Each structure stands twice: as C-alpha cells, then as structure tokens.
Amino acid sequence: MASGGNDKIGGKLNEAAARADLDEQALFYHRYPGPGKLEIQATKPLGNQRDLALAYSPGVAAPCLAIRDNPEQAADYTARGNLVAVISNGTAVLGLGNIGPLASKPVMEGKAVLFKKFAGIDVFDIEIDAPTVEEMVSTVSALEPTFGGINLEDIKAPECFEVERQLRARMNIPVFHDDQHGTAIIVAAAVLNAMELSGKSLSSVKIVASGAGAAALACLNLLCLLGVKRENIWVHDIEGLVYKGRTELMDEWKAIYAQETDKRSLNETIDGADVFLGLSAAGVLKPELLARMAEKPLIMALANPVPEIMPALAREARPDAMICTGRSDFPNQVNNVLCFPYIFRGALDCGASTINEEMKMAAVRAIAALAREEVSEVAARALSGETPVFGPDYLIPSPFDPRLILRIAPAVARAAAESGVAARPITDFDAYLDKLNRFVFRSGFVMKPIFTAAKVAEKKRVIFSEGEDERVLRAAQVLLEEKIATPILIGRPEILESRLKRYGLRIRPNVDFEVVNPQGDPRYRDYVDDYLALVGRRGVIPEAARTIVRTNTTVIGALAVRRGEADALICGLEGRYEKHLRDVRQIIGKREGVLDFAGLSLLVSQRGATFMTDTYVTFQPSAQEIASMTVLAAAAVRRFGITPKAALVSHSNFGSRDSESARKMREALQLVREQAPELEVDGEMHGESAISEMLRQKVMPATTLSGEANLLVFPNLDAANITMGVVRAMTDGLHVGPILLGTALPAHILAPSVTSRGVVNMAALAVVEASHPA
C-alpha cells in the first residue's frame, strides 16, 4: 500500500491526458447547475404593492429627478457606484489569441467573479464586436452613464494602448486595462522588494526584457516611474533587440526603449543584468545565460503556462537568484488578482474620475509593504503559526491574503484624494477600514485559513469510510493535487478502479492513495480483536464483531485512527448520523474532560460566517453540556482565524420569560463565564437580538456582547437543526460541517447531502485538528 502524491500522479499520465481531464471538468463546471458563472439578484424587496410603487412607478421618479439635479447622487440611489464593466473585443484572449468576442465570454465572466469574490464589486461582462480602435472607443465611451469604472481586457497590442488613451481622455470614470497595469503593478512591487533584499538601487539596475507587448511595456513604464533609468532597459521581441533604426514590428510605445547599439540578441545583452523580465514564450531564457547575470539576480519568468525558464532549472544555474513566475505552484506568483479588485474598490469608494499614476504607485507600495509586514495575531493563529517570511521566496503576498484589500483599497483612495481626482474623498479611514474588514469575513476567505494551515502542516492521513462514493473519489483527487492530505479510502479495489475510470479521474488505488479493502485486508484479525476489546462487554459477541469489521466501514475507519494507522476519520456520506456517532463514540471516544460530543455547523452566506451549535448530537442538553459545547465551539471558531462572539439564544430575551428552557440558558451563561472568562458571550436572548446590536442595546444596555454574534448556541437540537436548515435554504448559504466537537482524535460525520467540495473542506479541517490538537 502506497500513499504518494501529486509527484506520482504526474508520473503516471502524460500532460495531454491531464489537460483533457481538466478540460472535461471545466466544461462540467461551466454548465452545471446552470450555464455560466454569473446571475443578477435584486437587492430590495418586492413583496407587495408598496414595494412595487417604491421600486418602479411612481416612486422611482424621485431618485431620477434627484440625479438629474445632481449627477453625483447616482452613487447614492443606484448601483452605479459599485458597478464595473469588464469589456473585451476578444482579440487577445489569454493564450488563445484572437478568438473573437463571443468565445471570450467565459473569460470575462471569470473576471467578473474575481471582482465580486475578492472585492465585492458587481460586474457586467460586455463582449463587443468592435475590432478597430474607433469602434471600441465609440462603443465603450457611450456606456459611461451605466458604470462606475471600465476594466478593459484581452485587447491586442498595440491597439490596446490607443483604445485606453482615447477612453481616458473622453470618459470621467476610471478606465483600466488590466493586462497592462495589473501585471505592471505586481511586477513593480516584486522588483522593489527584490532590490531591497539584494541591496541594489533602482537607478542603477540593468533590466533585460523578453517580450514587448502591452504587459511588458506597462511594466517598464511603471519601473521608470519608480526610478529605473530608461537607458538601462534592454527590450527584445520576436524580431530581437529593440534598437534605434529598426523598422520591423515597431510602434511609438516600443520605440521609447530603442537602444543605440550594434547588439541584436538576448545573448548579447544579458551580461550584468540585475533583472530579467519575461513576458514572452517558454524556454527563451537558457540556463547558460544566467551565469552572466549580476549577483543576486531577479528572474521574472512570467510566460504561461510554461515560463521562459523553469524555476528548478534557474535555481540550479543560479542558487542566488530570486525567481517569480505566473504560476500558482511556485513561490512568488505574479497574479493580477493581487491588485485589480482592490484598486477598483478604492477608486469606486472615493468616486475617482480616473486611475492615475499616483494611485498605481500607491498600490505598488502597499503590495510591497504587505510582503514585509509582520502577520497580525489573528492571521498567525489562523495559519497555525506557519507564517511566510519576507525573503527571496516571498517577495509578493499570496493572492489569497485577506489583508490585500485592507492595504491596497485605502492606499488607492487616499492617493486619489491627494491627487485631486476623488469626487467623494474618504474622510474617516478608520470607518472605511472597518467596512472592508466586515467584507473580508463575508467572502469565501472564511475557509482560506484552514486550507493554508493544512498545506503547511505535515501531511496527515485522512481515512474515508465511504471510499467508493463519487464525492470522496473527487475529493481525494483534489486533496492530492493541492497537497492538503494523504487520503486512505476504504473500498473494494476493483470498484474503486471502475468508478475512477467512469468519472474520468486520474488517481489510482495503491499508487496515489492507500486502499483498505474490507473484504481482504491483512489486518482484519487485529481489527476484530481491538473491536472486541472495546465493545465486547456492550453486547457484541465475537461472531457479530467479525461481521461488523467486514461490513461496517465507519468501524474500520475509526479503528484505523485509534490504532494510529490514520490521523483523522471522515464518514457519514451514507446512512444515519446516529449510527455513525455510536461507532465513533465507542471506538474513538471523548476527549479527556469533555462532557459529551456536540455538532457545530458553519454557514457561509452574504451576511458572513455564522456558527451554530448543537445542530446534530444532543437532543436536550443540560446547562452544563451547553456551557461545555460553547467553549468547545469557540475554540473551533478560532481555528478559522475568527474571534468568536457567542450568543445563547432562547425564546426569552434577557429574562422576559421564566420557563425551564430560559433558566437553563441563564445557568449555562454563568458556567461559560466561569470556564472561559476571555470569551465574549451573553444571553439568554432572542435570535434577532443576537444578530442586531441595536436591538440588543435597546433591551439590555449593559450587554457584554458587541457587534453581531457569529456563534449561536441553541437550547436544544430541534431549535438548532431547524434554524440551520431554514437559514441555509433561505440564504443559499454554504454549509461546512457538521464539525464534531469533543472527540479524542479527529473524526467528522458528514451529512448525506454533502458535496465533494464539502468533503474537501472537512478533510482540510481534520488535517488542521490532527496537526494542532486542542
């Protein structure tokens, strides 16, 4: 039995097969459950005649007239202030070339999703049949009344330069060609930090560039603004060096970097270069050329998917080099998503009329500074102490760093105000930061600390009881590809092989992951003996034990964890929760000092992350059990990098009723305060009081809970489970869990409705628990 990983997977299949597999999954992803990646949702109620009168006729006349009299009020009465157009004519799409506007739509929808996901910005993707500069400018400029900003995308050079220049002159809203400026901002931040580490001055560094398209030239322009001297920049394209007197493939933007020289090739110009900037093609930079670069060179090999030189090859040739690529599987990924959502966030929030050089420079310095920052206490806790350190392998932050929006958006908004282009300058930056902080925890970043901690931890073995289930098989492939865990699947090898082939998955049993075959595992007799030792005095006779260990995969998985042959158990995709819970209780047992297990559910919705307990285990918990589960749940919440704010909810609102249930919650509150005095908690209170600080303050000004509660503790399982189910359905929230609290070793019982992504989420959480026990 072997448990390799991604290295073995890659060795088993050629790249074409892997690409075909990815293509098939991508097509499925884009088609189901509904075509595309976007939808439009109303933000105001339309539940009665009054709502209709306010939303449309006659009420809508009031905001129309207000905007007529003062156009700035469009930001107050419409979605324009948070609406960006992602516009392309499809002439230079990713690495696909001129595929046309219609074929570019999936890319533009994807860009729209990134805006929403990372910065909460709404987007209409607009694909236009406008191949010429004149048609592009005429069409896009006419859209100004609809949008607060324009993001130009995938327009071929050199037309893209002229399109942006004319639109910036004609429009009074930000126009930003991300292929140029987004890449340039990240590159500039990396160069700033690399030169600091190498002790070099920007005014003296030599830069050799391979590629002279929109992104490359924008990078060089921005670097010149930072202090790089134009005469120290050597630019190459498909025709060779850009030199004075050259006529082939020249334009006014490229000509700025023409050198007075008789040199013509990269081989002739690389000597003494401090920076190689590659935005060209695979394999352009040969290892032997690196030896002639300056000490501690920065190699930015940004061609995708295959860079100008692979990092391992570059490192072998120059161990002192700092290396950036455009790929997520290597350190220092230059990824535009590091900046464009947050630049637009800051620009929209201050009503900027343009994105000028001062705003771009502010973004560069904010990104560079973030890589040098000490991580906050909350972030360090979320990362389980494994925090990146500023250095050659960490020149720029991760694209998923939740602090990006907190650093870049305010810096951009401040620069817009200082440079005089902000129509609505932000006056209270503390309040603005608080607003951005609230957005961070409403987004999909909630799971990010768990995945980050799981990836940096020593790889743990997670055993899956329902190994033959399609969701587990798909999850296993993700866990291996993302290097989160080493999966162990309980299942019949021939069934696993058959289903993997049917689902088009490339992982293989006993090659990429370990298999426990319930029909023929050599440890069977040992498992039976161990099981009998645990339950032999609970009515289980030897013959029954032998049958159970052959047929009950949760028992097999729990025994593997107890014996130390796996680090965590995931089960529950089939069968009743209580049945799985019984097996976990009998074999794995409770953690020392814990009264009983509890089920914690996390719902991630547009409101943010809300934890609820006990949603699955104890029907009528006592005050002592409620206190215990509250403390356990608070510790689980902290694993997500979130400070718990607990509300003990009830039909009684701070003593308004004197029922047995209300008295139980009051007693539980006192016990929680004794057991965890540092925890912010209050109760008993109505559900709406838990969510609304204003309502809570009205009835209890001396409340010890501030803001919105993120941990709701219920008086019984009925209340918790029903509330969780209804809220999940009404908000279309993502359910993570149930998270089983109080086990001696990590074990989680999932709901049969869980998706493959839900399985991955819980496996990652189990890895973190196994790596850092409570």
Side-chain angles (χ1 to χ4, degrees):
M1 292 183 241
S3 57
N6 219 17
D7 52 342
K8 292 187 177 180
I9 299 173
K12 289 292 171 183
L13 288 172
N14 60 40
E15 195 166 328
R19 180 71 210 185
D21 178 60
L22 180 63
D23 288 348
E24 182 182 349
Q25 292 184 47
L27 290 172
F28 184 90
Y29 173 87
H30 280 78
R31 188 169 186 176
Y32 299 101
K37 299 187 282 280
L38 299 171
E39 66 177 6
I40 295 175
Q41 290 188 352
T43 60
K44 299 294 190 293
L46 281 173
N48 53 45
Q49 188 65 36
R50 177 69 172 173
D51 291 342
L52 187 59
L54 292 172
Y56 199 53
S57 182
V60 76
C64 289
L65 294 173
I67 294 168
R68 180 200 63 184
D69 297 337
N70 180 6
E72 286 297 320
Q73 289 197 298
D76 299 320
Y77 297 126
T78 75
R80 183 176 187 263
N82 194 49
L83 186 62
V84 166
V86 171
I87 301 180
S88 180
N89 64 356
T91 53
V93 180
L94 295 176
L96 305 175
N98 188 355
I99 61 175
L102 182 59
S104 76
K105 188 170 180 64
V107 178
M108 302 312 125
E109 284 190 355
K111 195 67 176 276
V113 170
L114 295 178
F115 267 107
K116 187 67 175 179
K117 184 80 169 178
F118 287 94
I121 295 171
D122 295 317
V123 167
F124 290 158
D125 65 290
I126 300 178
E127 297 74 32
I128 57 176
D129 187 5
T132 69
V133 170
E134 293 74 18
E135 289 172 310
M136 280 284 293
V137 171
S138 174
T139 303
V140 176
S141 61
L143 298 173
E144 182 169 347
T146 301
F147 297 100
I150 303 291
N151 185 91
L152 300 174
E153 193 78 15
D154 293 348
I155 305 166
K156 70 183 179 74
E159 287 88 341
C160 61
F161 301 115
E162 188 60 30
V163 168
E164 186 189 46
R165 181 162 65 184
Q166 291 190 29
L167 288 174
R168 285 167 62 93
R170 292 175 61 168
M171 303 181 78
N172 200 39
I173 58 174
V175 177
F176 187 82
H177 184 208
D178 184 48
D179 298 317
Q180 293 181 58
H181 309 300
T183 303
I185 287 165
I186 310 308
V187 164
V191 171
L192 269 183
N193 282 341
M195 295 308 99
E196 178 176 317
L197 287 171
S198 62
K200 298 175 182 178
S201 167
L202 285 172
S203 62
S204 63
V205 298
K206 176 181 178 180
I207 297 178
V208 174
S210 175
L217 294 177
C219 290
L220 298 175
N221 292 341
L222 195 53
L223 289 171
C224 287
L225 286 174
L226 279 171
V228 176
K229 295 189 181 302
R230 204 174 295 273
E231 58 265 28
N232 292 339
I233 296 175
W234 300 73
V235 179
H236 306 74
D237 62 10
I238 196 170
E239 290 290 332
L241 180 69
V242 175
Y243 61 90
K244 288 185 178 178
R246 196 183 108 175
T247 58
E248 300 87 355
L249 292 179
M250 291 296 290
D251 55 58
E252 61 179 291
W253 297 278
K254 195 184 301 184
I256 294 171
Y257 296 99
Q259 290 277 8
E260 185 74 63
T261 181
D262 57 359
K263 296 177 180 179
R264 295 294 182 264
S265 69
L266 185 64
N267 183 57
E268 296 174 281
T269 60
I270 197 71
D271 291 313
D274 299 284
V275 179
F276 171 81
L277 175 61
L279 284 151
S280 53
V284 166
L285 185 61
K286 306 302 180 186
E288 57 268 22
L289 298 182
L290 270 62
R292 292 157 48 193
M293 294 183 71
E295 183 183 1
K296 296 180 181 178
L298 172 62
I299 299 166
M300 308 196 78
L302 306 183
N304 257 326
V306 182
E308 285 80 1
I309 187 169
M310 292 299 290
L313 198 57
R315 183 75 65 204
E316 183 180 345
R318 285 298 297 264
D320 63 333
M322 294 169 278
I323 305 168
C324 300
T325 71
R327 290 171 44 152
S328 61
D329 51 346
F330 297 113
N332 294 323
Q333 183 195 13
V334 174
N335 188 331
N336 290 7
V337 81
L338 273 164
C339 69
F340 74 79
Y342 317 118
I343 289 173
F344 270 98
R345 181 72 280 157
L348 292 172
D349 290 341
C350 70
S353 58
T354 187
I355 295 174
N356 58 24
E357 300 307 318
E358 291 87 348
M359 295 160 73
K360 287 187 280 186
M361 293 295 286
V364 169
R365 298 191 186 282
I367 293 166
L370 179 56
R372 300 192 295 265
E373 270 192 47
E374 290 185 1
V375 179
S376 68
E377 180 185 353
V378 170
R381 187 168 65 237
L383 295 168
S384 303
E386 297 290 341
T387 56
V389 177
F390 177 58
D393 288 333
Y394 190 68
L395 297 173
I396 43 181
S398 161
F400 290 97
D401 192 324
R403 297 171 294 165
L404 284 164
I405 192 172
L406 305 178
R407 302 294 183 272
I408 299 173
V412 168
R414 197 183 300 274
E418 292 174 353
S419 60
V421 299
R424 302 184 303 277
I426 293 169
T427 56
D428 187 343
F429 275 90
D430 288 338
Y432 184 53
L433 277 170
D434 182 61
K435 176 183 175 183
L436 294 176
N437 262 303
R438 290 199 303 272
F439 165 75
V440 167
F441 290 106
R442 273 204 309 272
S443 70
F445 283 118
V446 172
M447 283 301 300
K448 184 59 186 173
I450 298 299
F451 281 99
T452 302
K455 287 180 180 181
V456 301
E458 178 186 350
K459 293 298 165 282
K460 296 297 181 180
R461 302 157 298 169
V462 179
I463 190 165
F464 295 87
S465 291
E466 292 87 4
E468 297 174 0
D469 190 286
E470 177 184 359
R471 294 164 292 179
V472 170
L473 294 171
R474 293 190 181 278
Q477 179 156 306
V478 172
L479 293 170
L480 284 168
E481 287 177 342
E482 298 189 9
K483 299 180 181 179
I484 294 170
T486 301
I488 303 171
L489 272 55
I490 301 176
R492 296 159 291 178
E494 66 278 9
I495 300 298
L496 293 172
E497 286 275 14
S498 172
R499 293 185 178 177
L500 287 166
K501 185 176 181 181
R502 182 197 310 171
Y503 304 138
L505 300 174
R506 60 181 179 274
I507 55 175
R508 292 291 172 261
N510 290 321
V511 176
D512 304 313
F513 61 89
E514 183 179 342
V515 175
V516 176
N517 180 3
Q519 295 181 344
D521 192 278
R523 296 164 294 187
Y524 170 70
R525 292 184 184 278
D526 294 335
Y527 275 37
V528 171
D529 291 343
D530 289 345
Y531 185 57
L532 267 175
L534 291 166
V535 300
R537 294 182 179 274
R538 299 182 186 179
V540 178
I541 62 175
E543 185 177 348
R546 287 191 289 271
T547 301
I548 289 169
V549 175
R550 281 261 190 241
T551 59
N552 188 325
T553 55
T554 296
V555 167
I556 297 171
L559 287 168
V561 172
R562 184 181 177 91
R563 288 164 53 90
E565 295 165 355
D567 300 300
L569 167 68
I570 301 293
C571 62
L573 282 80
E574 299 171 5
R576 292 180 294 113
Y577 190 93
E578 313 88 80
K579 174 177 169 292
H580 295 284
L581 184 63
R582 177 201 65 200
D583 296 330
V584 170
R585 188 186 297 278
Q586 289 180 340
I587 299 169
I588 292 178
K590 295 179 293 185
R591 190 187 315 157
E592 186 177 353
V594 170
L595 290 178
D596 198 3
F597 298 143
L600 176 68
S601 289
L602 163 60
L603 281 184
V604 184
S605 68
Q606 288 299 314
R607 289 193 58 85
T610 304
F611 296 82
M612 302 182 185
T613 195
D614 173 10
T615 50
Y616 275 86
V617 178
T618 307
F619 287 95
Q620 289 292 343
S622 65
Q624 291 76 15
E625 288 171 326
I626 288 173
S628 175
M629 73 174 66
T630 302
V631 175
L632 287 171
V637 172
R638 291 190 184 99
R639 289 192 187 276
F640 291 81
I642 298 173
T643 301
K645 293 174 178 283
L648 276 57
V649 295
S650 169
H651 70 284
S652 173
N653 205 27
F654 297 104
S656 64
R657 304 287 290 272
D658 196 34
S659 66
E660 181 181 347
S661 173
R663 289 193 296 271
K664 177 175 73 172
M665 299 305 278
R666 284 173 220 150
E667 182 184 350
L669 175 65
Q670 297 308 314
L671 293 170
V672 171
R673 286 175 170 167
E674 292 170 10
Q675 296 172 24
E678 77 289 350
L679 177 61
E680 191 172 334
V681 59
D682 209 345
E684 83 287 7
M685 68 180 77
H686 286 168
E688 55 265 40
S689 295
I691 300 302
S692 170
E693 184 174 28
M694 182 180 69
L695 289 176
R696 187 166 62 251
Q697 289 280 357
K698 280 185 178 181
V699 296
M700 180 52 61
T703 178
T704 54
L705 182 64
S706 62
E708 181 175 322
N710 54 27
L711 172 58
L712 304 181
V713 182
F714 293 85
N716 57 47
L717 189 145
D718 277 349
N721 190 274
I722 292 169
T723 301
M724 188 269 293
V726 171
V727 173
R728 180 184 180 186
M730 292 179 67
T731 62
D732 195 26
L734 168 68
H735 179 218
V736 179
I739 301 165
L740 188 58
L741 305 174
T743 55
L745 296 166
H748 295 291
I749 306 165
L750 308 187
S753 59
V754 70
T755 64
S756 61
R757 190 66 210 179
V759 177
V760 172
N761 286 340
M762 291 305 298
L765 180 60
V767 167
V768 175
E769 291 172 339
S771 303
H772 303 278

